[in-house]
PDB file of all heavy atoms in Angstrom:
ATOM      1  N   PHE B 140      14.504   5.451 -19.204  1.00  0.00           N
ATOM      2  CA  PHE B 140      15.878   6.162 -19.159  1.00  0.00           C
ATOM      3  C   PHE B 140      15.687   7.439 -18.321  1.00  0.00           C
ATOM      4  O   PHE B 140      16.481   7.729 -17.521  1.00  0.00           O
ATOM      5  CB  PHE B 140      16.440   6.403 -20.510  1.00  0.00           C
ATOM      6  CG  PHE B 140      17.174   5.367 -21.100  1.00  0.00           C
ATOM      7  CD1 PHE B 140      16.970   4.799 -22.316  1.00  0.00           C
ATOM      8  CD2 PHE B 140      18.302   4.874 -20.396  1.00  0.00           C
ATOM      9  CE1 PHE B 140      17.704   3.818 -22.869  1.00  0.00           C
ATOM     10  CE2 PHE B 140      19.020   3.908 -20.951  1.00  0.00           C
ATOM     11  CZ  PHE B 140      18.814   3.254 -22.212  1.00  0.00           C
ATOM     12  N   LEU B 141      14.767   8.270 -18.717  1.00  0.00           N
ATOM     13  CA  LEU B 141      14.467   9.501 -18.123  1.00  0.00           C
ATOM     14  C   LEU B 141      14.262   9.328 -16.635  1.00  0.00           C
ATOM     15  O   LEU B 141      14.879  10.095 -15.802  1.00  0.00           O
ATOM     16  CB  LEU B 141      13.167  10.174 -18.710  1.00  0.00           C
ATOM     17  CG  LEU B 141      13.506  11.185 -19.803  1.00  0.00           C
ATOM     18  CD1 LEU B 141      11.956  11.786 -20.233  1.00  0.00           C
ATOM     19  CD2 LEU B 141      14.405  12.119 -19.579  1.00  0.00           C
ATOM     20  N   PHE B 142      13.483   8.399 -16.280  1.00  0.00           N
ATOM     21  CA  PHE B 142      13.121   8.021 -14.876  1.00  0.00           C
ATOM     22  C   PHE B 142      14.456   7.778 -14.056  1.00  0.00           C
ATOM     23  O   PHE B 142      14.708   8.584 -13.036  1.00  0.00           O
ATOM     24  CB  PHE B 142      12.107   6.937 -14.804  1.00  0.00           C
ATOM     25  CG  PHE B 142      11.759   6.558 -13.447  1.00  0.00           C
ATOM     26  CD1 PHE B 142      11.250   7.504 -12.505  1.00  0.00           C
ATOM     27  CD2 PHE B 142      11.886   5.211 -13.052  1.00  0.00           C
ATOM     28  CE1 PHE B 142      10.784   6.999 -11.357  1.00  0.00           C
ATOM     29  CE2 PHE B 142      11.635   4.890 -11.848  1.00  0.00           C
ATOM     30  CZ  PHE B 142      10.912   5.786 -10.896  1.00  0.00           C
ATOM     31  N   TYR B 143      15.236   6.926 -14.418  1.00  0.00           N
ATOM     32  CA  TYR B 143      16.379   6.618 -13.727  1.00  0.00           C
ATOM     33  C   TYR B 143      17.372   7.628 -13.782  1.00  0.00           C
ATOM     34  O   TYR B 143      18.155   7.852 -12.922  1.00  0.00           O
ATOM     35  CB  TYR B 143      16.909   5.241 -14.150  1.00  0.00           C
ATOM     36  CG  TYR B 143      16.117   4.012 -13.749  1.00  0.00           C
ATOM     37  CD1 TYR B 143      15.484   3.051 -14.765  1.00  0.00           C
ATOM     38  CD2 TYR B 143      15.756   3.827 -12.462  1.00  0.00           C
ATOM     39  CE1 TYR B 143      14.811   2.009 -14.224  1.00  0.00           C
ATOM     40  CE2 TYR B 143      14.999   2.912 -12.042  1.00  0.00           C
ATOM     41  CZ  TYR B 143      14.438   1.985 -12.895  1.00  0.00           C
ATOM     42  OH  TYR B 143      13.696   0.898 -12.526  1.00  0.00           O
ATOM     43  N   THR B 144      17.450   8.297 -14.870  1.00  0.00           N
ATOM     44  CA  THR B 144      18.514   9.439 -15.019  1.00  0.00           C
ATOM     45  C   THR B 144      18.047  10.491 -14.026  1.00  0.00           C
ATOM     46  O   THR B 144      19.050  11.006 -13.372  1.00  0.00           O
ATOM     47  CB  THR B 144      18.375  10.014 -16.495  1.00  0.00           C
ATOM     48  OG1 THR B 144      18.538   9.037 -17.409  1.00  0.00           O
ATOM     49  CG2 THR B 144      19.552  11.128 -16.566  1.00  0.00           C
ATOM     50  N   SER B 145      16.849  10.845 -13.891  1.00  0.00           N
ATOM     51  CA  SER B 145      16.502  11.848 -12.939  1.00  0.00           C
ATOM     52  C   SER B 145      16.802  11.473 -11.451  1.00  0.00           C
ATOM     53  O   SER B 145      17.263  12.321 -10.634  1.00  0.00           O
ATOM     54  CB  SER B 145      15.023  12.362 -13.054  1.00  0.00           C
ATOM     55  OG  SER B 145      14.291  11.208 -12.798  1.00  0.00           O
ATOM     56  N   ILE B 146      16.519  10.276 -11.133  1.00  0.00           N
ATOM     57  CA  ILE B 146      16.877   9.783  -9.831  1.00  0.00           C
ATOM     58  C   ILE B 146      18.394   9.822  -9.633  1.00  0.00           C
ATOM     59  O   ILE B 146      18.871  10.362  -8.541  1.00  0.00           O
ATOM     60  CB  ILE B 146      16.290   8.415  -9.630  1.00  0.00           C
ATOM     61  CG1 ILE B 146      14.834   8.357  -9.760  1.00  0.00           C
ATOM     62  CG2 ILE B 146      16.795   7.833  -8.195  1.00  0.00           C
ATOM     63  CD1 ILE B 146      14.207   7.069  -9.414  1.00  0.00           C
ATOM     64  N   GLY B 147      19.211   9.424 -10.655  1.00  0.00           N
ATOM     65  CA  GLY B 147      20.686   9.470 -10.461  1.00  0.00           C
ATOM     66  C   GLY B 147      21.090  10.976 -10.380  1.00  0.00           C
ATOM     67  O   GLY B 147      22.035  11.058  -9.551  1.00  0.00           O
ATOM     68  N   TRP B 148      20.522  11.691 -11.022  1.00  0.00           N
ATOM     69  CA  TRP B 148      20.841  13.154 -10.992  1.00  0.00           C
ATOM     70  C   TRP B 148      20.644  13.669  -9.589  1.00  0.00           C
ATOM     71  O   TRP B 148      21.475  14.476  -8.977  1.00  0.00           O
ATOM     72  CB  TRP B 148      20.017  13.974 -11.991  1.00  0.00           C
ATOM     73  CG  TRP B 148      20.451  15.316 -12.036  1.00  0.00           C
ATOM     74  CD1 TRP B 148      19.600  16.489 -11.655  1.00  0.00           C
ATOM     75  CD2 TRP B 148      21.744  15.859 -12.476  1.00  0.00           C
ATOM     76  NE1 TRP B 148      20.345  17.538 -11.827  1.00  0.00           N
ATOM     77  CE2 TRP B 148      21.543  17.308 -12.248  1.00  0.00           C
ATOM     78  CE3 TRP B 148      22.788  15.499 -12.878  1.00  0.00           C
ATOM     79  CZ2 TRP B 148      22.596  18.189 -12.593  1.00  0.00           C
ATOM     80  CZ3 TRP B 148      23.852  16.311 -13.195  1.00  0.00           C
ATOM     81  CH2 TRP B 148      23.724  17.591 -13.060  1.00  0.00           C
ATOM     82  N   LEU B 149      19.346  13.342  -8.978  1.00  0.00           N
ATOM     83  CA  LEU B 149      19.129  13.670  -7.608  1.00  0.00           C
ATOM     84  C   LEU B 149      20.301  13.208  -6.669  1.00  0.00           C
ATOM     85  O   LEU B 149      20.616  13.977  -5.769  1.00  0.00           O
ATOM     86  CB  LEU B 149      17.762  13.119  -7.210  1.00  0.00           C
ATOM     87  CG  LEU B 149      16.617  13.834  -7.788  1.00  0.00           C
ATOM     88  CD1 LEU B 149      15.292  13.191  -7.206  1.00  0.00           C
ATOM     89  CD2 LEU B 149      16.480  15.306  -7.163  1.00  0.00           C
TER      90      LEU B 149
END
Side-chain angles (χ1 to χ4, degrees):
Chain B
F140 273 125
L141 268 186
F142 178 55
Y143 287 125
T144 309
S145 58
I146 299 183
W148 181 249
L149 280 176

